[in-house]
Amino acid sequence: MQSEVNTVESAVTAAPHARLHVGFIKNNLREYGMLISLVAIMVLFQVLTDGTLMRPLNITNLLLQNSYIVIMALGMLLVIVAGHIDLSVGSVCGFIGALAAVLMVEYHWHFVPTTIVCLVAGGAIGAAQGWFVAFFRIPSFIVTLAGMLVFKGLSLALLEGQSVGPFPVEFQRLSSGFIPDVFGGEELRTTSVVLGAIAAAALLFFKLRGRAKLAKYGMDQEPYAFFLVKNVFFAGVILFLSYLLASYRGLPNVLIVMAVLIVAYDFVTNRTTIGRRIYALGGNEKAARLSGIKTQRLAFLTFVNMGVLAALAGLVFAARLNTATPKAGLGFELDVIAACFIGGASASGGVGKVMGAVIGAFVMGVMNNGMSILGVGIDYQQVIKGLVLLAAVFIDVYNKNK
């Protein structure tokens, strides 16, 4: 009799937990769904390419090919969350690469002052566009469409229709260089493995500390099983990728740049006042303004930030190609915007996460890389990418209406 009572009590106790887990899955289906989709796509192409996808050389190329997309996706996410769009990022990226080429190759500037001037120029471009959007209330679609045309034309004028290069070796290392191995490893770059282990341990430490703080103040948080599986998975991925990269040439310099930016923007969006205000701006601009938020200045700053990151991406892309071409940056804005929407950002603003944008960028990158290995033509690649983007936005709108 007592055992039956205990069984009933256990069932009653477990029921709320089961409902909590089901409710959490429903509320976070998009976030977990994208992560599962990325893993599924990687497994699929790993099988279809007979293991080529996950080879160290291909993983390195995958990171280098998508570095500038990830960098711009971080800035685009804030623009989209604020309720706007930026169609000019590809042209700005190409223009900054052209500016860097002219300064370093034709005027023989050192790469450090050139980098500073280019980042300032990117911020100024973002400020100019943000000024029209924020203070003159011109739709961002129109302003940045004009910017796309303007800076595409300026790139042609600056380069006089020709490619300019090569760049100094020191500048090329921004995109093609690797972290040196202080331990002198030959077959395995030990420094890269150690840095990967430190990054994985840091991830688990800060996530556990953040969860403890939420529990201390009695705030809602994800079920422990989901929390543990998700973060152990991410830590394992970091260790595995570090090992793969270490077996080739080590961690690329641009990967360190990306990692620092991802951590910084994740902190800003989740832990700072300005991050919360950007979400409030995109969620309901009128309510945000009435609550005392300076919405115009905030929208302006998101475009300044986008300009700086587009400039950084332009430098990374130019360093990787070792030349600046008039067609550099062509179509980048489509991949960047698609990465944000596929990663869970809402077309109406107010919704989106940094890790979602990063995952979205790598979903696109893995698809591009895998289809190229399989010999799928660029025509069908564009069709498939377009259908994936449409499906992602459809799911977002469907869930919102539901």
Side-chain angles (χ1 to χ4, degrees):
M1 182 68 179
Q2 182 64 35
S3 62
E4 293 180 358
V5 173
N6 292 338
T7 301
V8 172
E9 289 179 351
S10 299
V12 172
T13 304
H17 290 287
R19 287 194 297 270
L20 176 64
H21 284 51
V22 172
F24 180 81
I25 292 175
K26 288 182 178 179
N27 293 333
N28 295 271
L29 184 61
R30 186 69 180 276
E31 178 182 351
Y32 285 95
M34 286 313 307
L35 180 59
I36 294 171
S37 298
L38 176 59
V39 174
I41 290 171
M42 294 186 71
V43 170
L44 174 64
F45 281 113
Q46 175 72 356
V47 173
L48 293 177
T49 61
D50 297 324
T52 302
L53 181 73
M54 296 300 292
R55 289 178 182 172
L57 173 60
N58 192 61
I59 290 294
T60 301
N61 289 335
L62 186 62
L63 291 171
L64 296 179
Q65 289 167 0
N66 291 279
S67 56
Y68 40 89
I69 300 298
V70 172
I71 290 170
M72 287 192 286
L74 297 175
M76 185 65 74
L77 176 70
L78 297 186
V79 172
I80 291 174
V81 166
H84 300 289
I85 200 73
D86 191 341
L87 301 178
S88 69
V89 292
S91 297
V92 173
C93 178
F95 172 73
I96 293 298
L99 178 62
V102 170
L103 292 177
M104 280 189 284
V105 177
E106 296 185 359
Y107 291 94
H108 306 291
W109 279 33
H110 191 269
F111 75 94
V112 173
T114 298
T115 300
I116 294 173
V117 168
C118 288
L119 293 178
V120 171
I125 292 169
Q129 297 189 130
W131 183 267
F132 285 107
V133 173
F135 297 104
F136 287 92
R137 296 288 182 177
I138 302 175
S140 57
F141 182 90
I142 301 300
V143 172
T144 58
L145 178 61
M148 179 176 70
L149 299 173
V150 168
F151 294 106
K152 191 177 295 184
L154 288 178
S155 297
L156 284 168
L158 199 58
L159 296 174
E160 297 180 349
Q162 299 178 348
S163 297
V164 176
F167 290 107
V169 176
E170 296 81 5
F171 178 73
Q172 293 179 43
R173 292 198 183 104
L174 172 64
S175 188
S176 60
F178 294 83
I179 299 298
D181 189 12
V182 298
F183 298 102
E186 295 183 1
E187 294 185 0
L188 187 70
R189 308 284 178 171
T190 311
T191 302
S192 297
V193 177
V194 171
L195 289 176
I198 292 173
L203 171 69
L204 293 175
F205 172 76
F206 286 111
K207 290 296 183 180
L208 287 169
R209 192 176 73 167
R211 184 179 177 86
K213 286 184 178 180
L214 291 176
K216 179 180 178 181
Y217 294 106
M219 299 177 66
D220 292 335
Q221 50 190 326
E222 62 185 331
Y224 186 74
F226 289 99
F227 170 82
L228 187 63
V229 169
K230 181 178 73 173
N231 289 291
V232 168
F233 171 79
F234 277 123
V237 168
I238 291 173
L239 287 172
F240 179 62
L241 289 178
S242 299
Y243 175 79
L244 285 179
L245 295 171
S247 64
Y248 176 54
R249 295 181 63 184
L251 299 178
N253 292 335
V254 73
L255 177 61
I256 304 301
V257 175
M258 279 196 302
V260 171
L261 288 174
I262 291 169
V263 171
Y265 277 83
D266 187 65
F267 177 81
V268 168
T269 54
N270 291 316
R271 305 284 182 178
T272 66
T273 301
I274 191 171
R276 290 190 289 270
R277 287 179 175 177
I278 290 173
Y279 282 92
L281 168 63
N284 191 323
E285 182 182 1
K286 185 176 181 180
R289 187 170 62 252
L290 292 175
S291 66
I293 296 175
K294 296 180 179 179
T295 56
Q296 291 178 322
R297 186 175 68 178
L298 204 58
F300 171 76
L301 291 177
T302 60
F303 278 94
V304 174
N305 174 74
M306 182 70 258
V308 173
L309 289 183
L312 177 59
L315 294 173
V316 170
F317 184 68
R320 179 171 175 267
L321 287 185
N322 195 24
T323 186
T325 65
K327 291 187 177 181
L330 183 64
F332 283 5
E333 61 278 350
L334 303 179
D335 286 335
V336 173
I337 294 170
C340 292
F341 285 142
I342 290 173
S346 174
S348 57
V351 177
K353 292 186 177 181
V354 166
M355 286 309 301
V358 174
I359 290 173
F362 279 108
V363 165
M364 299 291 287
V366 171
M367 288 175 58
N368 287 337
N369 184 265
M371 288 188 290
S372 296
I373 295 173
L374 292 173
V376 178
I378 189 66
D379 46 0
Y380 287 105
Q381 288 189 32
Q382 296 296 332
V383 171
I384 294 171
K385 286 161 59 178
L387 292 176
V388 169
L389 173 60
L390 180 61
V393 176
F394 172 79
I395 292 172
D396 171 63
V397 174
Y398 176 79
N399 289 334
K400 183 174 295 185
N401 292 337
K402 188 175 180 181

